[in-house]
Amino acid sequence: MLAVYFDCPGGPENLYVKEVMKPQPGEGEVLVKVSASALNRADIVQRRGKYPPPKGASDILGLEAAGSVAGFGPGCKGRWKIGDAVMALLSGGGQAEYVTVPEGYLMPIPNDMTFIQAAAIPEAWLTAFQLLHFVGKIQKGERVLIHAGASGVGMAAIQLVRLAKAVPVVTAGTQEKLKAAANAGAAAGFNYKSEDFSEKVLEFTQGAGVDIILDCVGGSYWEKNLSCLSTDGRWIVYGLLGGGEVHGDLLARLLSKRGSIHTSLLRSRDKEASNSYQQSFTEDVLPYFSRGASPHLETLIDSIYPLHEIAEAHRLMEENKNIGKIVIEMPA
């Protein structure tokens, strides 16, 4: 099969497509013929040599995939049949023509949805769902600040906050991204490059602040985050795009608000936890992607690249210009 590879860490130019052995499904695993995958920040960090796959995971890039069931390993429980349209969150291996997936990780692709659209769901939507419901324990009416509001996770989080009958507020770096976030349901959006988002958030919430912050930026935002966090608020860090170092009296500031910091990395979760998230997501969220559902959830796709143009896809994400997901299409 064909798969994305790089021989040494570095820039996008190190990526290439090569022929490798097709994986064989092990105990309780399903072989999936991949039609589409999608790009994530983790792929970029792994390519740079700073985010190795978990022990036992494929070293091929790709944390999500959509395709059809092509085979079974021993011990599968018969939940799926050959040809079923499925998607999955992976610990690696999605940017290849075939991938093996634990049977319980597979999710059905909603009716009327293409493989391209489905490939944009697993990582972004499961991340946002897990952060909001399992970590943040979102409640009706709460206000949620979502950084990188026009990213894949950001656009998913906006819609999931709305689905939970709460209020999404976002930051983004361009007016175009803020407009896209508003179209997805953001109640307010602020340009972090041209205005102090913490002041704007406090103004929007009439001084109360936000109950939950979904933060993929980290260190460089800590003071502004704490300024606009409500009393008893939950600050959830799931990425460190702005670095991991904090200089200042973070604990005293946090203590004064009885705030809490949570951290989460979906990729390194154990199988039981991952199955729990996926089962809840399949039951509680997936039906809203179907045509005619109300409210209706939608994936936002920025661009589609064929597998052989994987380096170009990485360059686009590194330029931070995409609004929504960058999807990788496998050869027909």
Side-chain angles (χ1 to χ4, degrees):
M1 70 170 185
L2 298 176
V4 171
Y5 255 83
F6 59 96
D7 292 320
C8 57
E13 66 278 0
N14 287 17
L15 295 168
Y16 66 102
V17 175
K18 78 171 184 178
E19 200 164 293
V20 299
M21 290 294 292
K22 185 167 77 173
Q24 297 300 312
E27 182 76 25
E29 290 185 332
V30 175
L31 180 68
V32 175
K33 186 180 191 308
V34 180
S35 292
S37 182
L39 197 59
N40 293 286
R41 290 279 172 190
D43 296 317
I44 288 176
V45 184
Q46 183 175 333
R47 188 204 72 221
R48 292 172 180 164
K50 297 179 179 177
Y51 191 24
K55 187 178 180 181
S58 171
D59 57 358
I60 297 170
L61 297 174
L63 301 186
E64 56 198 325
S68 50
V69 172
F72 301 97
C76 285
K77 298 175 181 176
R79 293 174 56 186
W80 309 96
K81 63 183 187 297
I82 298 292
D84 278 349
V86 293
M87 56 185 175
L89 179 70
L90 311 165
S91 54
Q95 288 163 25
E97 291 185 294
Y98 290 88
V99 67
T100 55
V101 186
E103 187 179 28
Y105 278 34
L106 293 176
M107 298 179 287
I109 293 177
N111 294 335
D112 310 315
M113 182 172 276
T114 67
F115 288 129
I116 294 287
Q117 292 168 321
I121 290 179
E123 197 276 342
W125 285 81
L126 275 169
T127 295
F129 180 73
Q130 177 245 349
L131 294 175
L132 289 167
H133 289 276
F134 285 78
V135 182
K137 304 195 184 313
I138 188 172
Q139 301 296 313
K140 181 180 178 180
E142 288 191 318
R143 292 162 295 230
V144 182
L145 175 60
I146 303 160
H147 292 308
S151 66
V153 173
M155 297 297 268
I158 291 166
Q159 295 177 71
L160 289 173
V161 169
R162 285 289 187 193
L163 191 63
K165 296 181 169 53
V167 182
V169 180
V170 304
T171 66
T174 68
Q175 291 307 119
E176 185 184 13
K177 289 183 176 183
L178 290 173
K179 184 178 179 182
N183 290 339
F190 308 112
N191 188 328
Y192 67 86
K193 292 181 179 178
S194 61
E195 51 194 350
D196 185 328
F197 72 79
S198 63
E199 290 181 3
K200 293 291 184 180
V201 166
L202 287 169
E203 194 176 303
F204 175 76
T205 59
Q206 298 180 314
V210 289
D211 303 285
I212 298 173
I213 299 174
L214 298 190
D215 179 19
C216 56
V217 179
S220 62
Y221 272 12
W222 81 267
E223 288 182 285
K224 290 180 180 178
N225 279 333
L226 280 179
S227 291
C228 62
L229 188 68
S230 69
T231 301
D232 297 315
R234 289 91 78 199
W235 171 18
I236 304 170
V237 180
Y238 70 99
L240 297 173
L241 294 174
E245 287 191 19
V246 169
H247 301 284
D249 206 352
L250 181 151
L251 292 178
R253 297 272 298 277
L254 191 66
L255 188 63
S256 70
K257 292 194 170 187
R258 301 197 305 267
S260 56
I261 295 181
H262 304 261
T263 62
S264 181
L265 280 177
L266 196 58
R267 188 181 193 182
S268 58
R269 289 279 178 186
D270 61 46
K271 290 186 177 181
E272 278 189 30
S274 294
N275 282 343
S276 177
Y277 304 146
Q278 281 157 323
Q279 187 175 343
S280 295
F281 181 81
T282 299
E283 293 171 0
D284 300 339
V285 179
L286 268 190
Y288 291 103
F289 284 97
S290 297
R291 188 178 296 170
S294 181
H296 180 62
L297 301 177
E298 287 186 296
T299 58
L300 179 66
I301 293 170
D302 176 90
S303 49
I304 303 165
Y305 285 85
L307 185 67
H308 286 84
E309 294 180 16
I310 186 68
E312 288 305 312
H314 273 239
R315 287 188 185 98
L316 177 68
M317 180 167 275
E318 286 190 322
E319 290 169 357
N320 207 28
K321 291 179 179 176
N322 59 298
I323 297 176
K325 293 289 284 188
I326 299 170
V327 174
I328 310 299
E329 190 170 22
M330 295 302 137

